[in-house]
Short mmCIF file of all heavy atoms in Angstrom, two decimals:
data_model
loop_
_atom_site.label_atom_id
_atom_site.label_comp_id
_atom_site.label_asym_id
_atom_site.label_seq_id
_atom_site.Cartn_x
_atom_site.Cartn_y
_atom_site.Cartn_z
N MET A 7 20.60 37.09 41.63
CA MET A 7 20.11 37.89 40.57
C MET A 7 18.52 37.87 40.51
O MET A 7 17.96 36.77 40.62
CB MET A 7 20.61 37.25 39.22
CG MET A 7 20.15 38.06 37.99
SD MET A 7 20.95 37.37 36.54
CE MET A 7 19.52 37.18 35.59
N SER A 8 17.94 39.00 40.46
CA SER A 8 16.52 39.09 40.43
C SER A 8 15.98 39.07 39.05
O SER A 8 16.64 39.47 38.11
CB SER A 8 16.05 40.26 41.18
OG SER A 8 16.37 41.49 40.43
N ILE A 9 14.71 38.53 38.91
CA ILE A 9 14.12 38.40 37.62
C ILE A 9 12.94 39.41 37.66
O ILE A 9 12.10 39.44 38.63
CB ILE A 9 13.48 36.93 37.52
CG1 ILE A 9 14.55 35.96 37.73
CG2 ILE A 9 12.79 36.85 36.11
CD1 ILE A 9 15.62 35.86 36.63
N LYS A 10 12.95 40.32 36.59
CA LYS A 10 11.77 41.24 36.44
C LYS A 10 10.71 40.68 35.70
O LYS A 10 10.86 40.11 34.64
CB LYS A 10 12.36 42.47 35.77
CG LYS A 10 13.51 43.19 36.56
CD LYS A 10 13.91 44.43 35.87
CE LYS A 10 15.03 45.15 36.67
NZ LYS A 10 15.60 46.28 36.06
N PHE A 11 9.53 40.83 36.19
CA PHE A 11 8.27 40.41 35.64
C PHE A 11 7.52 41.58 35.13
O PHE A 11 7.45 42.55 35.85
CB PHE A 11 7.39 39.60 36.60
CG PHE A 11 7.81 38.27 36.85
CD1 PHE A 11 8.88 37.93 37.62
CD2 PHE A 11 7.12 37.15 36.26
CE1 PHE A 11 9.29 36.63 37.80
CE2 PHE A 11 7.44 35.85 36.51
CZ PHE A 11 8.59 35.57 37.34
N ARG A 12 6.83 41.39 34.01
CA ARG A 12 5.84 42.39 33.45
C ARG A 12 4.60 41.57 33.07
O ARG A 12 4.77 40.87 32.04
CB ARG A 12 6.45 43.22 32.39
CG ARG A 12 5.35 44.25 31.85
CD ARG A 12 6.04 45.09 30.76
NE ARG A 12 5.04 45.91 30.12
CZ ARG A 12 4.72 47.19 30.50
NH1 ARG A 12 5.30 47.72 31.39
NH2 ARG A 12 3.86 47.84 29.77
N ILE A 13 3.58 41.89 33.71
CA ILE A 13 2.23 41.29 33.19
C ILE A 13 1.56 42.46 32.40
O ILE A 13 1.27 43.52 33.05
CB ILE A 13 1.46 40.76 34.32
CG1 ILE A 13 2.16 39.70 35.04
CG2 ILE A 13 0.07 40.24 33.71
CD1 ILE A 13 1.44 39.16 36.26
N ASP A 14 1.32 42.27 31.14
CA ASP A 14 0.70 43.28 30.33
C ASP A 14 -0.53 42.78 29.77
O ASP A 14 -0.59 42.29 28.63
CB ASP A 14 1.67 43.65 29.18
CG ASP A 14 1.29 44.74 28.43
OD1 ASP A 14 0.32 45.53 28.87
OD2 ASP A 14 1.91 45.11 27.38
N GLY A 15 -1.62 42.75 30.58
CA GLY A 15 -2.93 42.33 30.17
C GLY A 15 -3.08 40.78 30.48
O GLY A 15 -2.29 40.12 31.01
N PHE A 16 -4.37 40.48 30.18
CA PHE A 16 -4.76 38.93 30.43
C PHE A 16 -6.01 38.68 29.65
O PHE A 16 -6.73 39.64 29.19
CB PHE A 16 -5.01 38.84 31.95
CG PHE A 16 -5.78 39.93 32.56
CD1 PHE A 16 -7.33 39.90 32.49
CD2 PHE A 16 -5.31 41.06 33.12
CE1 PHE A 16 -8.07 40.86 32.99
CE2 PHE A 16 -6.06 42.06 33.64
CZ PHE A 16 -7.43 41.99 33.58
N SER A 17 -6.35 37.46 29.43
CA SER A 17 -7.50 37.10 28.86
C SER A 17 -8.24 36.03 29.72
O SER A 17 -7.71 35.01 29.99
CB SER A 17 -7.13 36.37 27.44
OG SER A 17 -8.28 35.79 26.92
N GLU A 18 -9.37 36.45 30.31
CA GLU A 18 -10.07 35.60 31.26
C GLU A 18 -9.13 35.12 32.33
O GLU A 18 -9.11 33.93 32.69
CB GLU A 18 -10.75 34.36 30.56
CG GLU A 18 -11.75 34.86 29.45
CD GLU A 18 -12.38 33.76 28.81
OE1 GLU A 18 -12.46 32.54 29.28
OE2 GLU A 18 -12.87 33.87 27.63
N LEU A 19 -8.51 36.04 33.06
CA LEU A 19 -7.57 35.77 34.12
C LEU A 19 -8.29 34.99 35.20
O LEU A 19 -9.43 35.36 35.70
CB LEU A 19 -7.03 37.08 34.67
CG LEU A 19 -6.00 36.97 35.85
CD1 LEU A 19 -4.70 36.48 35.15
CD2 LEU A 19 -5.80 38.24 36.53
N ASN A 20 -7.55 33.92 35.67
CA ASN A 20 -8.06 33.16 36.83
C ASN A 20 -7.50 33.86 38.08
O ASN A 20 -6.37 33.69 38.49
CB ASN A 20 -7.48 31.72 36.77
CG ASN A 20 -8.08 30.86 37.85
OD1 ASN A 20 -8.29 31.31 39.01
ND2 ASN A 20 -8.08 29.57 37.58
N LYS A 21 -8.30 34.64 38.71
CA LYS A 21 -8.00 35.64 39.78
C LYS A 21 -7.51 34.75 40.98
O LYS A 21 -6.51 35.09 41.57
CB LYS A 21 -9.15 36.45 40.20
CG LYS A 21 -8.87 37.47 41.32
CD LYS A 21 -10.11 38.27 41.58
CE LYS A 21 -9.81 39.24 42.74
NZ LYS A 21 -10.90 40.11 43.02
N VAL A 22 -8.14 33.60 41.32
CA VAL A 22 -7.76 32.81 42.49
C VAL A 22 -6.37 32.26 42.23
O VAL A 22 -5.50 32.30 43.09
CB VAL A 22 -8.78 31.72 42.73
CG1 VAL A 22 -8.30 30.79 43.87
CG2 VAL A 22 -10.10 32.40 43.15
N ALA A 23 -6.18 31.63 41.05
CA ALA A 23 -4.88 31.02 40.76
C ALA A 23 -3.70 31.99 40.65
O ALA A 23 -2.63 31.78 41.16
CB ALA A 23 -5.01 30.30 39.36
N THR A 24 -4.03 33.31 40.23
CA THR A 24 -3.01 34.34 40.14
C THR A 24 -2.62 34.69 41.60
O THR A 24 -1.51 34.81 41.94
CB THR A 24 -3.63 35.55 39.38
OG1 THR A 24 -4.00 35.14 38.02
CG2 THR A 24 -2.52 36.66 39.36
N THR A 25 -3.61 34.91 42.39
CA THR A 25 -3.36 35.32 43.90
C THR A 25 -2.58 34.22 44.54
O THR A 25 -1.62 34.54 45.25
CB THR A 25 -4.71 35.61 44.57
OG1 THR A 25 -5.27 36.71 43.91
CG2 THR A 25 -4.40 36.03 46.08
N LYS A 26 -2.97 32.90 44.34
CA LYS A 26 -2.23 31.86 44.95
C LYS A 26 -0.85 31.83 44.48
O LYS A 26 0.14 31.49 45.33
CB LYS A 26 -2.84 30.59 44.57
CG LYS A 26 -4.17 30.24 45.48
CD LYS A 26 -4.80 28.87 45.13
CE LYS A 26 -5.93 28.55 45.86
NZ LYS A 26 -6.46 27.23 45.62
N ALA A 27 -0.64 32.03 43.18
CA ALA A 27 0.85 32.03 42.62
C ALA A 27 1.63 33.05 43.28
O ALA A 27 2.79 32.86 43.59
CB ALA A 27 0.71 32.12 41.16
N PHE A 28 1.11 34.23 43.44
CA PHE A 28 1.80 35.44 44.07
C PHE A 28 2.13 35.06 45.51
O PHE A 28 3.13 35.30 45.95
CB PHE A 28 0.95 36.77 43.94
CG PHE A 28 0.87 37.34 42.63
CD1 PHE A 28 -0.22 38.02 42.19
CD2 PHE A 28 1.94 37.35 41.69
CE1 PHE A 28 -0.33 38.70 40.97
CE2 PHE A 28 1.87 37.97 40.38
CZ PHE A 28 0.73 38.58 40.10
N ARG A 29 1.20 34.54 46.03
CA ARG A 29 1.37 34.11 47.55
C ARG A 29 2.50 33.12 47.77
O ARG A 29 3.41 33.27 48.56
CB ARG A 29 0.05 33.73 48.16
CG ARG A 29 0.22 33.42 49.62
CD ARG A 29 -1.20 33.11 50.30
NE ARG A 29 -1.06 32.97 51.70
CZ ARG A 29 -1.82 32.40 52.51
NH1 ARG A 29 -2.95 31.96 51.98
NH2 ARG A 29 -1.64 32.33 53.80
N GLU A 30 2.43 32.08 46.86
CA GLU A 30 3.42 30.98 46.97
C GLU A 30 4.83 31.44 46.57
O GLU A 30 5.79 30.98 47.27
CB GLU A 30 2.94 29.84 46.07
CG GLU A 30 3.76 28.63 46.21
CD GLU A 30 3.22 27.49 45.39
OE1 GLU A 30 2.21 27.55 44.75
OE2 GLU A 30 3.93 26.34 45.42
N PHE A 31 4.99 32.24 45.55
CA PHE A 31 6.30 32.56 44.98
C PHE A 31 6.90 33.87 45.22
O PHE A 31 8.06 34.14 44.93
CB PHE A 31 6.36 32.14 43.54
CG PHE A 31 6.07 30.65 43.26
CD1 PHE A 31 4.81 30.28 42.71
CD2 PHE A 31 6.93 29.68 43.62
CE1 PHE A 31 4.63 29.00 42.47
CE2 PHE A 31 6.66 28.35 43.51
CZ PHE A 31 5.42 28.00 42.94
N SER A 32 6.04 34.86 45.63
CA SER A 32 6.55 36.20 45.85
C SER A 32 7.03 36.57 47.15
O SER A 32 7.64 37.66 47.36
CB SER A 32 5.44 37.25 45.33
OG SER A 32 4.43 37.29 46.33
N GLY A 33 6.74 35.73 48.16
CA GLY A 33 6.98 36.06 49.55
C GLY A 33 6.01 36.91 50.20
O GLY A 33 6.28 37.38 51.37
N LYS A 34 4.95 37.28 49.63
CA LYS A 34 3.94 38.10 50.16
C LYS A 34 2.89 37.20 50.81
O LYS A 34 2.74 36.12 50.36
CB LYS A 34 3.31 39.09 49.09
CG LYS A 34 4.29 39.98 48.46
CD LYS A 34 3.62 41.04 47.63
CE LYS A 34 4.57 42.01 46.97
NZ LYS A 34 5.09 42.93 47.87
N GLY A 35 2.23 37.85 51.78
CA GLY A 35 1.14 37.20 52.40
C GLY A 35 -0.20 37.16 51.53
O GLY A 35 -0.16 37.77 50.50
N LEU A 36 -1.31 36.78 52.02
CA LEU A 36 -2.56 36.76 51.25
C LEU A 36 -3.00 38.18 50.95
O LEU A 36 -3.29 38.41 49.76
CB LEU A 36 -3.63 36.10 52.05
CG LEU A 36 -5.08 36.00 51.46
CD1 LEU A 36 -4.90 35.28 50.10
CD2 LEU A 36 -6.03 35.40 52.39
N SER A 37 -2.93 39.09 51.88
CA SER A 37 -3.28 40.43 51.64
C SER A 37 -2.42 41.10 50.47
O SER A 37 -2.96 41.75 49.54
CB SER A 37 -3.13 41.30 52.86
OG SER A 37 -3.57 42.67 52.62
N GLY A 38 -1.17 40.93 50.60
CA GLY A 38 -0.15 41.55 49.62
C GLY A 38 -0.37 40.84 48.24
O GLY A 38 -0.34 41.58 47.20
N SER A 39 -0.67 39.60 48.19
CA SER A 39 -0.84 38.87 46.86
C SER A 39 -2.21 39.29 46.28
O SER A 39 -2.21 39.49 45.12
CB SER A 39 -0.90 37.37 47.22
OG SER A 39 0.42 36.94 47.67
N LYS A 40 -3.21 39.44 47.15
CA LYS A 40 -4.51 39.89 46.54
C LYS A 40 -4.40 41.38 46.05
O LYS A 40 -4.98 41.65 44.97
CB LYS A 40 -5.52 39.87 47.68
CG LYS A 40 -6.98 40.26 47.20
CD LYS A 40 -7.97 40.00 48.25
CE LYS A 40 -9.37 40.29 47.89
NZ LYS A 40 -9.57 41.53 47.06
N GLN A 41 -3.59 42.17 46.74
CA GLN A 41 -3.36 43.55 46.25
C GLN A 41 -2.71 43.55 44.90
O GLN A 41 -3.01 44.33 43.92
CB GLN A 41 -2.47 44.34 47.18
CG GLN A 41 -3.24 44.93 48.39
CD GLN A 41 -2.31 45.72 49.30
OE1 GLN A 41 -1.17 45.39 49.38
NE2 GLN A 41 -2.94 46.84 49.80
N MET A 42 -1.70 42.64 44.58
CA MET A 42 -1.04 42.49 43.32
C MET A 42 -2.10 42.06 42.26
O MET A 42 -2.16 42.66 41.18
CB MET A 42 0.08 41.48 43.33
CG MET A 42 1.22 41.97 44.22
SD MET A 42 2.52 40.66 44.33
CE MET A 42 3.26 40.79 42.71
N THR A 43 -2.94 41.19 42.54
CA THR A 43 -4.00 40.68 41.61
C THR A 43 -4.82 41.78 41.26
O THR A 43 -5.23 42.10 40.16
CB THR A 43 -4.57 39.42 42.16
OG1 THR A 43 -3.71 38.39 42.36
CG2 THR A 43 -5.73 38.98 41.16
N ASP A 44 -5.33 42.44 42.42
CA ASP A 44 -6.35 43.66 42.19
C ASP A 44 -5.69 44.72 41.35
O ASP A 44 -6.42 45.23 40.52
CB ASP A 44 -6.81 44.09 43.51
CG ASP A 44 -7.81 43.07 44.21
OD1 ASP A 44 -8.23 42.13 43.53
OD2 ASP A 44 -7.94 43.25 45.39
N SER A 45 -4.49 45.00 41.51
CA SER A 45 -3.77 46.05 40.78
C SER A 45 -3.64 45.68 39.39
O SER A 45 -3.89 46.53 38.45
CB SER A 45 -2.37 46.29 41.40
OG SER A 45 -1.65 47.27 40.67
N LEU A 46 -3.38 44.44 39.07
CA LEU A 46 -3.38 43.97 37.77
C LEU A 46 -4.74 44.14 37.02
O LEU A 46 -4.90 44.57 35.90
CB LEU A 46 -2.94 42.52 37.67
CG LEU A 46 -2.99 41.77 36.26
CD1 LEU A 46 -2.06 42.55 35.24
CD2 LEU A 46 -2.55 40.34 36.43
N LEU A 47 -5.78 43.68 37.75
CA LEU A 47 -7.12 43.81 37.20
C LEU A 47 -7.52 45.18 36.96
O LEU A 47 -8.17 45.53 35.93
CB LEU A 47 -8.14 43.05 38.15
CG LEU A 47 -8.10 41.48 38.14
CD1 LEU A 47 -8.83 40.98 39.30
CD2 LEU A 47 -8.40 40.91 36.89
N GLU A 48 -7.15 46.06 37.91
CA GLU A 48 -7.53 47.46 37.71
C GLU A 48 -6.73 48.23 36.62
O GLU A 48 -7.27 48.97 35.95
CB GLU A 48 -7.31 48.19 39.09
CG GLU A 48 -7.82 49.65 39.07
CD GLU A 48 -7.58 50.22 40.42
OE1 GLU A 48 -7.97 49.58 41.49
OE2 GLU A 48 -7.21 51.42 40.55
N ASN A 49 -5.47 47.98 36.53
CA ASN A 49 -4.52 48.71 35.75
C ASN A 49 -4.26 48.07 34.40
O ASN A 49 -3.72 48.73 33.43
CB ASN A 49 -3.32 49.15 36.38
CG ASN A 49 -3.52 49.91 37.72
OD1 ASN A 49 -4.35 50.81 37.60
ND2 ASN A 49 -2.95 49.60 38.66
N GLY A 50 -4.34 46.71 34.28
CA GLY A 50 -4.02 45.91 33.21
C GLY A 50 -2.54 45.64 33.03
O GLY A 50 -2.12 44.96 32.22
N ILE A 51 -1.71 46.27 33.94
CA ILE A 51 -0.19 46.07 33.86
C ILE A 51 0.26 45.95 35.29
O ILE A 51 -0.21 46.57 36.26
CB ILE A 51 0.45 47.26 33.19
CG1 ILE A 51 0.00 47.46 31.73
CG2 ILE A 51 1.93 47.19 33.29
CD1 ILE A 51 0.57 48.66 31.05
N LEU A 52 1.22 45.10 35.50
CA LEU A 52 1.81 44.87 36.84
C LEU A 52 3.31 44.56 36.64
O LEU A 52 3.66 43.63 35.77
CB LEU A 52 1.19 43.81 37.58
CG LEU A 52 1.61 43.50 38.96
CD1 LEU A 52 1.45 44.66 39.95
CD2 LEU A 52 1.07 42.20 39.56
N GLU A 53 4.23 45.28 37.30
CA GLU A 53 5.58 45.01 37.16
C GLU A 53 6.16 44.68 38.61
O GLU A 53 5.76 45.37 39.52
CB GLU A 53 6.37 46.21 36.50
CG GLU A 53 5.96 46.35 35.10
CD GLU A 53 6.72 47.44 34.56
OE1 GLU A 53 7.13 48.49 35.25
OE2 GLU A 53 6.88 47.46 33.26
N PHE A 54 6.99 43.71 38.72
CA PHE A 54 7.59 43.32 40.00
C PHE A 54 8.87 42.46 39.80
O PHE A 54 9.11 42.08 38.70
CB PHE A 54 6.56 42.58 40.89
CG PHE A 54 6.04 41.31 40.25
CD1 PHE A 54 6.59 40.11 40.53
CD2 PHE A 54 4.93 41.34 39.39
CE1 PHE A 54 6.08 38.91 40.00
CE2 PHE A 54 4.44 40.19 38.78
CZ PHE A 54 5.01 38.93 39.16
N GLU A 55 9.59 42.24 40.76
CA GLU A 55 10.75 41.33 40.75
C GLU A 55 10.71 40.31 41.79
O GLU A 55 10.10 40.41 42.78
CB GLU A 55 11.98 42.30 41.04
CG GLU A 55 12.30 43.32 40.02
CD GLU A 55 13.61 44.00 40.28
OE1 GLU A 55 14.49 43.55 41.01
OE2 GLU A 55 13.66 45.19 39.75
N ILE A 56 11.34 39.13 41.39
CA ILE A 56 11.51 37.99 42.20
C ILE A 56 12.90 37.69 42.35
O ILE A 56 13.58 37.56 41.32
CB ILE A 56 10.69 36.74 41.69
CG1 ILE A 56 9.21 37.00 41.48
CG2 ILE A 56 10.98 35.48 42.49
CD1 ILE A 56 8.47 37.19 42.80
N GLU A 57 13.48 37.61 43.53
CA GLU A 57 14.98 37.37 43.75
C GLU A 57 15.39 35.97 43.39
O GLU A 57 16.38 35.82 42.75
CB GLU A 57 15.18 37.63 45.24
CG GLU A 57 15.09 39.09 45.60
CD GLU A 57 16.07 40.02 44.79
OE1 GLU A 57 17.26 39.66 44.58
OE2 GLU A 57 15.51 41.21 44.54
N ASP A 58 14.61 34.97 43.72
CA ASP A 58 14.98 33.52 43.59
C ASP A 58 14.64 33.11 42.15
O ASP A 58 13.48 33.08 41.71
CB ASP A 58 14.22 32.71 44.58
CG ASP A 58 14.62 31.25 44.55
OD1 ASP A 58 14.42 30.54 43.58
OD2 ASP A 58 15.20 30.81 45.67
N GLU A 59 15.64 32.58 41.37
CA GLU A 59 15.37 32.20 40.01
C GLU A 59 14.51 31.00 39.92
O GLU A 59 13.71 31.01 39.01
CB GLU A 59 16.74 31.90 39.38
CG GLU A 59 16.78 31.75 37.84
CD GLU A 59 18.03 31.65 37.20
OE1 GLU A 59 19.08 32.11 37.75
OE2 GLU A 59 18.09 30.95 36.12
N ASP A 60 14.61 30.06 40.74
CA ASP A 60 13.80 28.82 40.66
C ASP A 60 12.32 29.27 40.97
O ASP A 60 11.46 28.80 40.29
CB ASP A 60 14.32 27.83 41.72
CG ASP A 60 13.54 26.54 41.63
OD1 ASP A 60 13.46 26.04 40.44
OD2 ASP A 60 13.11 26.03 42.62
N LYS A 61 12.08 30.18 42.02
CA LYS A 61 10.69 30.56 42.23
C LYS A 61 10.23 31.37 41.10
O LYS A 61 9.02 31.28 40.71
CB LYS A 61 10.64 31.37 43.56
CG LYS A 61 10.86 30.63 44.76
CD LYS A 61 10.74 31.43 46.05
CE LYS A 61 10.90 30.70 47.24
NZ LYS A 61 10.71 31.52 48.41
N ALA A 62 11.05 32.13 40.44
CA ALA A 62 10.59 33.00 39.28
C ALA A 62 10.20 32.08 38.12
O ALA A 62 9.12 32.34 37.49
CB ALA A 62 11.73 33.93 38.84
N LYS A 63 10.89 30.98 37.85
CA LYS A 63 10.42 30.04 36.82
C LYS A 63 9.09 29.42 37.13
O LYS A 63 8.31 29.35 36.25
CB LYS A 63 11.47 29.01 36.64
CG LYS A 63 12.77 29.48 36.04
CD LYS A 63 13.85 28.45 35.85
CE LYS A 63 15.08 28.98 35.13
NZ LYS A 63 16.16 27.94 35.11
N LYS A 64 8.96 29.08 38.37
CA LYS A 64 7.71 28.35 38.74
C LYS A 64 6.55 29.36 38.71
O LYS A 64 5.46 29.07 38.28
CB LYS A 64 7.79 27.73 40.11
CG LYS A 64 8.79 26.58 40.12
CD LYS A 64 8.87 26.05 41.51
CE LYS A 64 9.88 24.90 41.55
NZ LYS A 64 10.19 24.40 42.90
N LEU A 65 6.78 30.65 39.17
CA LEU A 65 5.78 31.72 39.11
C LEU A 65 5.38 31.95 37.63
O LEU A 65 4.15 32.04 37.39
CB LEU A 65 6.26 32.92 39.78
CG LEU A 65 5.35 34.12 39.79
CD1 LEU A 65 3.99 33.80 40.34
CD2 LEU A 65 5.99 35.33 40.52
N LEU A 66 6.37 32.05 36.76
CA LEU A 66 6.15 32.29 35.41
C LEU A 66 5.09 31.25 34.78
O LEU A 66 4.09 31.49 34.14
CB LEU A 66 7.31 32.31 34.54
CG LEU A 66 7.20 32.54 33.07
CD1 LEU A 66 6.68 33.85 32.75
CD2 LEU A 66 8.59 32.42 32.40
N HIS A 67 5.45 30.04 35.16
CA HIS A 67 4.58 28.95 34.62
C HIS A 67 3.13 29.07 35.23
O HIS A 67 2.11 28.85 34.44
CB HIS A 67 5.25 27.59 35.04
CG HIS A 67 4.35 26.37 34.59
ND1 HIS A 67 4.22 25.98 33.32
CD2 HIS A 67 3.60 25.57 35.43
CE1 HIS A 67 3.43 24.93 33.29
NE2 HIS A 67 3.04 24.64 34.49
N LYS A 68 3.01 29.28 36.51
CA LYS A 68 1.69 29.44 37.10
C LYS A 68 0.90 30.66 36.49
O LYS A 68 -0.35 30.57 36.30
CB LYS A 68 1.84 29.55 38.60
CG LYS A 68 2.40 28.34 39.21
CD LYS A 68 1.34 27.56 39.93
CE LYS A 68 2.11 26.42 40.69
NZ LYS A 68 1.12 25.60 41.51
N LEU A 69 1.56 31.68 36.27
CA LEU A 69 0.89 32.94 35.81
C LEU A 69 0.44 32.67 34.33
O LEU A 69 -0.71 33.03 34.01
CB LEU A 69 1.77 34.13 35.85
CG LEU A 69 2.04 34.58 37.24
CD1 LEU A 69 3.09 35.83 37.21
CD2 LEU A 69 0.82 35.12 37.98
N MET A 70 1.19 31.98 33.55
CA MET A 70 0.81 31.60 32.15
C MET A 70 -0.42 30.71 32.26
O MET A 70 -1.34 30.91 31.40
CB MET A 70 1.96 31.06 31.42
CG MET A 70 3.09 32.14 31.12
SD MET A 70 4.48 31.48 30.30
CE MET A 70 4.11 30.28 29.29
N LYS A 71 -0.40 29.81 33.13
CA LYS A 71 -1.69 28.94 33.25
C LYS A 71 -2.81 29.63 33.70
O LYS A 71 -3.98 29.24 33.33
CB LYS A 71 -1.30 27.74 34.21
CG LYS A 71 -0.34 26.71 33.67
CD LYS A 71 -0.11 25.62 34.56
CE LYS A 71 -1.38 24.64 34.61
NZ LYS A 71 -1.17 23.44 35.42
N ALA A 72 -2.64 30.74 34.40
CA ALA A 72 -3.74 31.53 34.87
C ALA A 72 -4.20 32.59 33.77
O ALA A 72 -5.15 33.43 34.06
CB ALA A 72 -3.38 32.28 36.16
N ASN A 73 -3.63 32.46 32.60
CA ASN A 73 -4.10 33.37 31.48
C ASN A 73 -3.53 34.83 31.51
O ASN A 73 -4.12 35.69 31.00
CB ASN A 73 -5.49 33.39 31.27
CG ASN A 73 -6.09 32.03 30.88
OD1 ASN A 73 -5.43 31.26 30.19
ND2 ASN A 73 -7.21 31.62 31.41
N ALA A 74 -2.43 34.94 32.20
CA ALA A 74 -1.76 36.34 32.19
C ALA A 74 -0.76 36.42 31.09
O ALA A 74 -0.09 35.49 30.84
CB ALA A 74 -1.04 36.54 33.55
N ASN A 75 -0.64 37.51 30.52
CA ASN A 75 0.28 37.84 29.42
C ASN A 75 1.54 38.35 30.04
O ASN A 75 1.71 39.62 30.25
CB ASN A 75 -0.27 38.88 28.41
CG ASN A 75 -1.53 38.38 27.65
OD1 ASN A 75 -1.57 37.26 27.42
ND2 ASN A 75 -2.31 39.37 27.32
N VAL A 76 2.41 37.40 30.44
CA VAL A 76 3.57 37.72 31.19
C VAL A 76 4.86 37.55 30.53
O VAL A 76 5.00 36.67 29.66
CB VAL A 76 3.54 36.86 32.56
CG1 VAL A 76 3.65 35.45 32.21
CG2 VAL A 76 4.55 37.32 33.54
N SER A 77 5.82 38.45 30.83
CA SER A 77 7.09 38.33 30.21
C SER A 77 8.19 38.61 31.37
O SER A 77 7.82 39.20 32.34
CB SER A 77 7.36 39.34 29.13
OG SER A 77 7.21 40.63 29.52
N THR A 78 9.40 38.19 31.13
CA THR A 78 10.50 38.35 32.08
C THR A 78 11.63 38.93 31.46
O THR A 78 11.85 38.93 30.26
CB THR A 78 10.91 37.04 32.76
OG1 THR A 78 11.32 36.12 31.75
CG2 THR A 78 9.71 36.39 33.52
N ALA A 79 12.42 39.54 32.35
CA ALA A 79 13.79 40.14 31.82
C ALA A 79 14.84 39.89 32.84
O ALA A 79 14.60 39.65 34.07
CB ALA A 79 13.60 41.66 31.60
#
């Protein structure tokens, strides 16, 4: 079962921590992870899915620590 993420804004987003979290838990490489972070910074919203429930929980925690306003469904 995949977990849907929606990041709707941020307050003083830690860009490096966000990119590292995406890289560690999304299955994307550095370039793909950086693109996700850049898209969030540019648009203020980012939606994506993570297949592994355990990875999704860890990613949620890391994104919240990086100051992203994130929710899951």
